[in-house]
Amino acid sequence: MQDLFHSLGISENLLNYVLMPLLIFVARIGDVSINTLRIMFMMNGKKSIVPILGFFEAMIWLLAIGQIFQNVNNPLSYIAYAGGFATGTFVGMALEEKLAIGRVLVRVITPQPHPDLLEFMKMKNYRFTNVGGEGRFGKVNLLFTVMKRDTLQEFISKVKEVDEKAFYTIESVKRVSEDELNTMEDRAGFRSKFFSKARN
Protein backbone atom coordinates (compact mmCIF):
# COMPACT_ATOMS: atom_id res chain seq x y z
CA MET A 1 0.00 0.00 0.00
CA GLN A 2 2.87 2.33 0.73
CA ASP A 3 4.22 1.71 -2.78
CA LEU A 4 0.87 2.79 -4.16
CA PHE A 5 1.00 6.08 -2.25
CA HIS A 6 4.58 6.65 -3.34
CA SER A 7 3.60 6.11 -6.97
CA LEU A 8 1.03 8.87 -6.54
CA GLY A 9 3.80 11.30 -5.56
CA ILE A 10 2.88 11.48 -1.87
CA SER A 11 5.79 12.40 0.37
CA GLU A 12 7.14 10.08 3.06
CA ASN A 13 6.28 12.48 5.90
CA LEU A 14 2.72 13.01 4.69
CA LEU A 15 2.26 9.28 4.32
CA ASN A 16 3.67 8.31 7.71
CA TYR A 17 2.31 11.10 9.87
CA VAL A 18 -1.05 11.88 8.25
CA LEU A 19 -2.39 9.30 5.80
CA MET A 20 -1.41 6.09 7.60
CA PRO A 21 -2.70 7.19 11.03
CA LEU A 22 -5.89 8.38 9.34
CA LEU A 23 -6.28 5.04 7.56
CA ILE A 24 -5.78 3.15 10.83
CA PHE A 25 -8.25 5.44 12.61
CA VAL A 26 -10.96 4.93 9.97
CA ALA A 27 -10.34 1.18 9.80
CA ARG A 28 -10.73 0.84 13.57
CA ILE A 29 -13.99 2.79 13.49
CA GLY A 30 -15.23 0.40 10.82
CA ASP A 31 -14.30 -2.87 12.48
CA VAL A 32 -15.42 -1.88 16.00
CA SER A 33 -18.76 -0.59 14.66
CA ILE A 34 -19.27 -3.84 12.76
CA ASN A 35 -18.36 -5.81 15.89
CA THR A 36 -21.07 -4.00 17.87
CA LEU A 37 -23.66 -4.72 15.18
CA ARG A 38 -22.53 -8.34 14.91
CA ILE A 39 -23.04 -8.88 18.63
CA MET A 40 -26.44 -7.19 18.43
CA PHE A 41 -27.59 -9.43 15.57
CA MET A 42 -26.18 -12.49 17.33
CA MET A 43 -28.09 -11.63 20.52
CA ASN A 44 -31.28 -11.37 18.48
CA GLY A 45 -30.78 -14.71 16.75
CA LYS A 46 -30.08 -13.29 13.26
CA LYS A 47 -27.84 -16.19 12.24
CA SER A 48 -27.56 -15.45 8.53
CA ILE A 49 -25.96 -12.01 8.76
CA VAL A 50 -23.58 -12.64 11.70
CA PRO A 51 -20.91 -14.61 9.73
CA ILE A 52 -20.88 -11.95 6.97
CA LEU A 53 -20.30 -9.17 9.48
CA GLY A 54 -17.63 -11.28 11.18
CA PHE A 55 -15.81 -11.72 7.86
CA PHE A 56 -15.64 -7.98 7.15
CA GLU A 57 -14.78 -7.20 10.78
CA ALA A 58 -11.77 -9.54 10.64
CA MET A 59 -10.61 -8.22 7.26
CA ILE A 60 -10.70 -4.59 8.38
CA TRP A 61 -8.97 -5.44 11.66
CA LEU A 62 -6.15 -7.21 9.79
CA LEU A 63 -5.76 -4.15 7.57
CA ALA A 64 -5.46 -1.87 10.60
CA ILE A 65 -3.07 -4.09 12.56
CA GLY A 66 -0.98 -4.65 9.43
CA GLN A 67 -0.44 -0.92 9.09
CA ILE A 68 0.50 -0.75 12.79
CA PHE A 69 3.29 -3.31 12.26
CA GLN A 70 4.53 -1.45 9.19
CA ASN A 71 4.69 1.78 11.18
CA VAL A 72 5.79 0.32 14.51
CA ASN A 73 8.08 3.30 15.24
CA ASN A 74 5.36 5.88 14.61
CA PRO A 75 3.52 6.84 17.85
CA LEU A 76 0.70 8.42 15.84
CA SER A 77 -0.27 4.94 14.64
CA TYR A 78 -0.95 3.83 18.20
CA ILE A 79 -2.92 6.99 18.97
CA ALA A 80 -4.96 6.50 15.79
CA TYR A 81 -5.59 2.85 16.71
CA ALA A 82 -6.84 3.69 20.21
CA GLY A 83 -8.80 6.72 19.00
CA GLY A 84 -10.47 4.65 16.27
CA PHE A 85 -11.44 2.01 18.82
CA ALA A 86 -13.05 4.60 21.11
CA THR A 87 -14.84 6.35 18.25
CA GLY A 88 -15.94 3.04 16.76
CA THR A 89 -17.49 2.03 20.08
CA PHE A 90 -19.51 5.24 20.12
CA VAL A 91 -20.55 4.89 16.46
CA GLY A 92 -21.53 1.25 16.97
CA MET A 93 -23.70 2.13 19.97
CA ALA A 94 -25.36 4.95 18.02
CA LEU A 95 -26.09 2.61 15.08
CA GLU A 96 -27.43 -0.09 17.41
CA GLU A 97 -29.76 2.42 19.06
CA LYS A 98 -30.86 3.83 15.71
CA LEU A 99 -31.65 0.42 14.20
CA ALA A 100 -33.54 -0.71 17.34
CA ILE A 101 -33.66 -4.30 16.12
CA GLY A 102 -35.23 -7.05 18.18
CA ARG A 103 -37.59 -7.19 21.13
CA VAL A 104 -37.34 -6.31 24.79
CA LEU A 105 -38.99 -7.52 27.96
CA VAL A 106 -40.36 -4.66 30.05
CA ARG A 107 -41.47 -5.00 33.68
CA VAL A 108 -43.39 -2.14 35.25
CA ILE A 109 -44.06 -2.05 39.01
CA THR A 110 -46.51 0.49 40.45
CA PRO A 111 -48.25 0.83 43.83
CA GLN A 112 -51.64 0.32 42.21
CA PRO A 113 -53.09 -0.72 38.82
CA HIS A 114 -53.42 1.88 36.07
CA PRO A 115 -56.40 1.05 33.83
CA ASP A 116 -55.54 3.86 31.39
CA LEU A 117 -52.10 2.28 30.80
CA LEU A 118 -53.73 -1.09 30.12
CA GLU A 119 -56.18 0.54 27.71
CA PHE A 120 -53.27 2.18 25.90
CA MET A 121 -51.56 -1.20 25.55
CA LYS A 122 -54.72 -2.84 24.25
CA MET A 123 -55.14 -0.03 21.72
CA LYS A 124 -51.55 -0.58 20.55
CA ASN A 125 -52.06 -4.38 20.45
CA TYR A 126 -49.34 -5.05 23.01
CA ARG A 127 -49.43 -8.48 24.61
CA PHE A 128 -49.09 -8.23 28.35
CA THR A 129 -49.65 -9.89 31.71
CA ASN A 130 -50.85 -7.84 34.67
CA VAL A 131 -50.71 -9.35 38.17
CA GLY A 132 -50.76 -8.29 41.79
CA GLY A 133 -47.75 -8.77 44.03
CA GLU A 134 -46.22 -8.02 47.40
CA GLY A 135 -43.46 -5.45 47.80
CA ARG A 136 -41.44 -4.08 50.67
CA PHE A 137 -44.11 -1.54 51.54
CA GLY A 138 -47.19 -3.60 50.74
CA LYS A 139 -49.25 -4.49 47.69
CA VAL A 140 -47.93 -3.64 44.22
CA ASN A 141 -49.03 -4.12 40.63
CA LEU A 142 -46.67 -5.95 38.27
CA LEU A 143 -46.97 -5.59 34.50
CA PHE A 144 -45.03 -7.74 32.00
CA THR A 145 -44.87 -7.10 28.28
CA VAL A 146 -42.64 -7.96 25.31
CA MET A 147 -42.42 -5.41 22.53
CA LYS A 148 -40.33 -4.30 19.58
CA ARG A 149 -37.49 -2.00 20.51
CA ASP A 150 -38.63 0.66 18.08
CA THR A 151 -41.85 1.09 20.10
CA LEU A 152 -40.11 1.14 23.49
CA GLN A 153 -39.68 4.90 23.77
CA GLU A 154 -43.37 5.54 23.15
CA PHE A 155 -44.34 3.00 25.80
CA ILE A 156 -41.92 4.35 28.44
CA SER A 157 -43.22 7.87 27.78
CA LYS A 158 -46.75 6.62 28.45
CA VAL A 159 -45.64 4.86 31.65
CA LYS A 160 -44.04 8.08 32.94
CA GLU A 161 -47.14 10.03 31.96
CA VAL A 162 -49.35 7.66 33.97
CA ASP A 163 -47.01 7.33 36.96
CA GLU A 164 -43.76 9.31 36.96
CA LYS A 165 -42.49 7.28 39.94
CA ALA A 166 -43.15 3.90 38.32
CA PHE A 167 -40.28 1.42 38.62
CA TYR A 168 -39.46 -0.40 35.39
CA THR A 169 -36.76 -2.69 34.02
CA ILE A 170 -35.87 -3.46 30.40
CA GLU A 171 -34.08 -6.58 29.14
CA SER A 172 -33.19 -7.77 25.66
CA VAL A 173 -35.05 -10.84 24.41
CA LYS A 174 -33.21 -13.25 22.12
CA ARG A 175 -36.24 -15.20 20.93
CA VAL A 176 -40.01 -15.10 21.37
CA SER A 177 -42.03 -18.32 21.20
CA GLU A 178 -44.56 -16.62 18.93
CA ASP A 179 -41.96 -14.91 16.79
CA GLU A 180 -43.30 -16.30 13.51
CA LEU A 181 -46.82 -15.21 14.44
CA ASN A 182 -45.56 -11.73 15.26
CA THR A 183 -43.75 -11.60 11.92
CA MET A 184 -46.99 -12.49 10.14
CA GLU A 185 -48.78 -9.76 12.08
CA ASP A 186 -46.06 -7.27 11.14
CA ARG A 187 -46.47 -8.13 7.45
CA ALA A 188 -50.24 -7.92 7.71
CA GLY A 189 -49.94 -4.53 9.38
CA PHE A 190 -47.57 -3.33 6.70
CA ARG A 191 -49.94 -4.45 3.92
CA SER A 192 -52.84 -2.77 5.67
CA LYS A 193 -50.97 0.53 5.96
CA PHE A 194 -49.73 0.27 2.36
CA PHE A 195 -53.17 -0.31 0.85
CA SER A 196 -54.70 2.33 3.08
CA LYS A 197 -52.24 4.92 1.76
CA ALA A 198 -52.78 3.70 -1.80
CA ARG A 199 -56.55 4.22 -1.52
CA ASN A 200 -55.99 7.73 -0.20
Side-chain angles (χ1 to χ4, degrees):
M1 183 173 290
Q2 290 182 342
D3 293 336
L4 173 63
F5 284 121
H6 289 150
S7 66
L8 295 174
I10 296 174
S11 68
E12 191 74 22
N13 287 336
L14 179 62
L15 177 63
N16 291 333
Y17 295 103
V18 178
L19 294 182
M20 281 303 172
L22 182 61
L23 177 62
I24 294 168
F25 179 77
V26 173
R28 273 313 263 165
I29 292 177
D31 89 88
V32 174
S33 299
I34 292 174
N35 176 62
T36 303
L37 294 178
R38 179 179 61 81
I39 293 173
M40 178 191 69
F41 282 117
M42 185 168 59
M43 293 290 291
N44 285 281
K46 309 294 185 183
K47 297 179 180 179
S48 58
I49 195 171
V50 170
I52 298 173
L53 292 175
F55 174 83
F56 285 105
E57 176 191 347
M59 286 290 291
I60 296 173
W61 184 85
L62 286 173
L63 173 64
I65 202 68
Q67 294 306 316
I68 285 283
F69 284 129
Q70 289 182 24
N71 296 271
V72 69
N73 295 321
N74 183 1
L76 288 179
S77 296
Y78 298 99
I79 296 173
Y81 187 89
F85 183 89
T87 306
T89 301
F90 177 80
V91 171
M93 291 172 61
L95 287 173
E96 191 265 349
E97 185 176 343
K98 191 72 174 177
L99 291 173
I101 295 173
R103 287 179 169 80
V104 291
L105 166 66
V106 184
R107 301 183 188 90
V108 181
I109 302 175
T110 55
Q112 64 276 328
H114 290 286
D116 46 349
L117 178 60
L118 300 183
E119 286 301 318
F120 169 81
M121 298 179 72
K122 290 176 183 177
M123 182 181 68
K124 295 291 185 176
N125 292 322
Y126 293 150
R127 299 184 180 191
F128 63 88
T129 299
N130 190 55
V131 296
E134 185 78 22
R136 179 181 177 186
F137 300 106
K139 300 292 183 181
V140 295
N141 188 76
L142 182 58
L143 177 66
F144 294 89
T145 182
V146 175
M147 64 181 63
K148 295 179 181 178
R149 287 188 58 200
D150 57 4
T151 63
L152 177 61
Q153 190 58 50
E154 179 186 23
F155 177 70
I156 295 301
S157 297
K158 182 64 179 179
V159 170
K160 291 180 178 179
E161 176 187 323
V162 170
D163 186 349
E164 62 179 11
K165 294 184 178 180
F167 177 81
Y168 60 87
T169 61
I170 303 168
E171 297 177 18
S172 295
V173 176
K174 183 175 182 180
R175 181 165 299 184
V176 180
S177 61
E178 298 180 344
D179 204 29
E180 292 186 4
L181 177 61
N182 291 331
T183 301
M184 292 171 62
E185 290 176 348
D186 293 344
R187 291 173 180 171
F190 172 79
R191 286 196 297 266
S192 176
K193 291 178 183 178
F194 176 81
F195 288 119
S196 175
K197 289 181 181 179
R199 285 195 295 269
N200 293 333

